[in-house]
Each structure stands twice: as C-alpha cells, then as structure tokens.
Amino acid sequence: MAAPSTSIYDTWSREELIARLTELDLEKGRPRQRPPSPKRPNKAFDFATHPRRKIALKFCYSGWEYGGLAFQNMNTSLPTVEGVLFDALVKARLIDPAGGFEGCGWEKCGRTDRGVSAAGQVISLWVRSALGPKTGGQTDGMGAAASERSISPSHATPDAKSTPIEATSTSTSTAADGLPGLEIGFEEEDLEAPRTNSSLSIPSTTPKPRYEHDYLAILNRLLPPTIRIIAWSPVSDCFSARFSCAYRHYKYFFSSNTSTGHALNIDRMRTAASLLIGEHDFRNLCKLDPGKQITMFKRKVMHAEIEPLSVDSAGKGMYVFNLIGSAFLYHQVRHIMAVLFMVGRGQEEPQVVTSLMNVEEGLEPGATEVVDSKPEYQMADALPLMLWDCGYPEELVDWRTTNGYPVADGGDTRTDLYQQLHAIHERSQVYTVLNEHFLAAASRFHLPPPTRDGLSRDEEVSSATPSGKVLIPLGGGTYKRTSQDKYTPLLRRNRLDPVEVINERWRVGKGFRREERRKAAEGAMEDSDGDE
C-alpha cells in the first residue's frame, strides 16, 4: 500500500487556503507582461545628406506675450519671438542648431520691442527641403522651375552655387494618392503625416509630382498660438528680408475717448500727421541710442493717415494711425504718436511737428523755430502698436500657404489657420465684454468725469485732474502725470544734448568697449531699418 502523499497545503488553515485561491484567481486575470525591449540608440540626424533652400516666412505674434522680437543671449523675464521660432525650426529639423542663426542665414525685416505686435513680420533663412536640385527646365509639384527655387545641397554655404543633381529618394516619402508621407527627420506625433495602406505594386512610368515640406503646417503645430506662420515664399539666394524690403507699414490703435473726459480732436491730429509725409530729419521724433552711432536721421514717409475703425455718429470710438515708410528709426512711431496725442488733446498745435523736424535753419518751411536737439517727452505706450506688413516687389516673393501651387496660381488655401485665429479673436471679445461690465458695475458708485468737448485750447492746456496734476495721454489707456498744475509746451522744455555730443560721449566711455565685446561674442549685426 502506497504511502499517502503530503503537500504543503495539508497544514494550511481554511482561511489561508481561501486567500491563496483568491490570489491565484487574480493572477489568472492579469495579462502577461513581456520583458521590455531594448531601446535602439537615437541615430544622429545628418543635415549634410539633405538639400536645403532659401525661403521667406511671414508670421504674426502677440507682442504682449514676449520680451521683443530679437533673440537675447541673456536671461529675459519673457521669451523672445525669435527664440521660440528658432526652437520650433530646430525641433522640426528644418535648420541645424549647431550653426545657430548665422548658419541658416537668418535675417529679419525689422526689430520690434517688448510689447509691440506684428501681423506681417518677415524673416528669410535657409531650411531643409524635400526637393533636390533638378536639371533643365523641370518643374516641381509647386509649378515653378527648380532654377527659381534656390535649392542646394545642405553642406553648401548660403552663397554657394547649387550643382544640378537629382534628389535622392530618401528626402521624402509619397503616398499612393500623391500626398506627401512622413518626411524623414520629423517627429510623427508632431506632424501627423498621412500614411499609405497600399500594397506593393508595379512602379508607374509616369513621374509623380514632388511636394515640398508643408512648412506652415509643420511649424504651426510646434509653435504656441501666440505665434502663427501665415505664409511662406521661395526666394533667391540673394534675397534679404531686411534689405529687399520696399516699405514697412505700422498701425497704432487708439480711442478718441479718454478716461479723463477729454475727447481727442481727430481733425487736429490728422493735420499734424499729414506734415510727416516726405523725407524729413526725425532725430527729435525717435529714441537716441548712442550704441547704434547713427548720424543720419532722414527717413522717407510715404503715407500717414488716421482712419476710423468703429466710431459712433459723434465720431467717438476707435481709430487707427497708418504710417508707411521705407525705413524707421528706433521707437520712431511711438514718439510720433506721443506728439499726435498732445496735439489731439489741444496741448500742442499741429505745426509743432514741422518745428521738431526743423533741425537746421530753413530745413522745414513753416517751422516756427530751429530745434537742433530733442525736447524731453515720453513716447507712447507699446501695446497698441503693430507692424502690419512688410512690403516686397512682386517679382521677389511668391507667397503660398501649403506645399502645393502658389496662391496666385490657384493654390489651395484651405487650412485651419483662419479658424485658429478666429477662435482667439472670439475669446478676446469675451474679455472686452467682461471689462465693459466691470466699468458698468463701478459706474453705479463712481461718477465718470464730465465730457469736455467744447473747451478752448487755453482751457484744455491748463485743465488739470481733481488732484491738480496735468495728464498727458500716451495711448493704451496710459497717461503721463506731471508734477505741475499747468502744461509745459513741448518746445519750452529741457533739451537733450545734440546727437553729436551724445555719440561722442558714448564712444569715449565704457559703453563703446562693452558693446564691442558683446558684438565680438555674438557676431550680431544691428538692424536700424524697422526698429520699434
């Protein structure tokens, strides 16, 4: 007779057996886990194996979200527009980060300061292309000859001549329906590129159209909503976003109603603005920066006009000052607006603009005196200022919105960019309504100041706040509160030193040596064509 088998469970109690069975049931329901597969090392992206081309990018940004357009080597409280845009181009592997701004030939049309927005800023640079150089008069999937597209091997310098060679098949993948597939070098989760499910088939003898990278879609997926790429254009090797620009168009938005009850006189402001048209010396209508060592302050204004945006039957509401010129000095638009506000308030006559531009005897007909150095006054607020557009000759740019045909040739402009910006606009309208209701709630307990449309100029100039201080409007709901109870005319104020004295003092001081060290370290070239 066989001996009875023994088990570890013979000595277990009833409760222990139940607990063990419960544990086995739970383990049975769990999915089996595979051991983690070893990660493949990230293969370094070789930019030298890909062709590149020179393009221009037109984009908009909300200035109040950024510490200005220009990239800064030092830490800033807010990011810069160039810094964010550069990072997006690097993440998309459109530019090589090792080369920095100089390596891709980065140029901007004009520099905007902190708080200033843009709706049509432009930069030019060399980026990676999906199209290799072609021979003869072949055209790509965008309907233009390759000789006009500035495509060259990426290892060539921006000024090097491209050698006509066929593009390699690895530069881009193409789906069966002719749409571009996932380009090599882009992250799949960022691009959400279309894929093909077709099986292998006999290659067609008809060459399929080749498509460029969809630069707008790629970058707008990586950029924050406060920076949007609007269009791109292929440009020639010698194109410069800065030097090829024919004009720059600024807009400054303001309300004719002020919180002090003084309505701005728009007709007086229009008269003063008209005096700006033509070529003048604007040294008294800009910020004097000795670091730039500017000695020539003449600039040409092509258009200067104040237009209504949303006004009532009495002419009260929002207006816009349109200023178009070939180039602008540092903070020139904001200084001009500060003077126009003084004119609209009745504190200055429109002819003060002519006097401020009369830096030499007889330079400006109609000037009341020579103003060879700048009077002390504060420039207008940055928030309402926008770089609306940068204009280029039609033969230099060919703006498009997708990787297909140009807009002028019937290209497809159906993107979701309009819906994105419309959603932002809709949300801003909600903020406006909320602020209107805050004002309405306060008006039940606090009386608004009396409206003073009918005051004479002397009464406007000498009128003060209940605290006895004179307020000077600066735009964007901001004011300069003076320490005196009467307004001091602009031409009777203290003057800064002449430009020549300011420049010389800087050259012999520490500022020059400090700036030379900075330029040597950064290799930066200052712009003085569109500074605001």
Side-chain angles (χ1 to χ4, degrees), residues 22 38 114 207 221 320 349 390:
T22 302
R114 177 174 179 172
R221 288 191 186 106
V320 60
E349 291 295 334
C390 302

Side-chain angles (χ1 to χ4, degrees), residues 297-370:
F297 292 87
K298 286 189 176 182
R299 296 294 185 271
K300 184 178 181 180
V301 172
M302 308 168 184
H303 180 85
E305 187 176 1
I306 295 176
E307 300 174 352
L309 283 180
S310 55
V311 300
D312 57 20
S313 57
K316 296 181 180 179
M318 290 298 299
Y319 289 82
V320 60
F321 174 51
N322 286 292
L323 187 64
I324 302 176
S326 56
F328 290 91
L329 297 162
Y330 193 25
H331 292 331
Q332 180 179 341
V333 183
R334 292 168 64 185
H335 277 76
I336 289 174
M337 276 307 307
V339 175
L340 292 183
F341 283 139
M342 298 178 201
V343 173
R345 182 72 181 267
Q347 295 164 331
E348 298 287 345
E349 291 295 334
Q351 286 69 29
V352 72
V353 173
T354 301
S355 296
L356 288 171
M357 298 185 297
N358 190 47
V359 299
E360 298 176 6
E361 185 69 40
L363 187 63
E364 293 287 339
T368 57
E369 62 180 278
V370 175

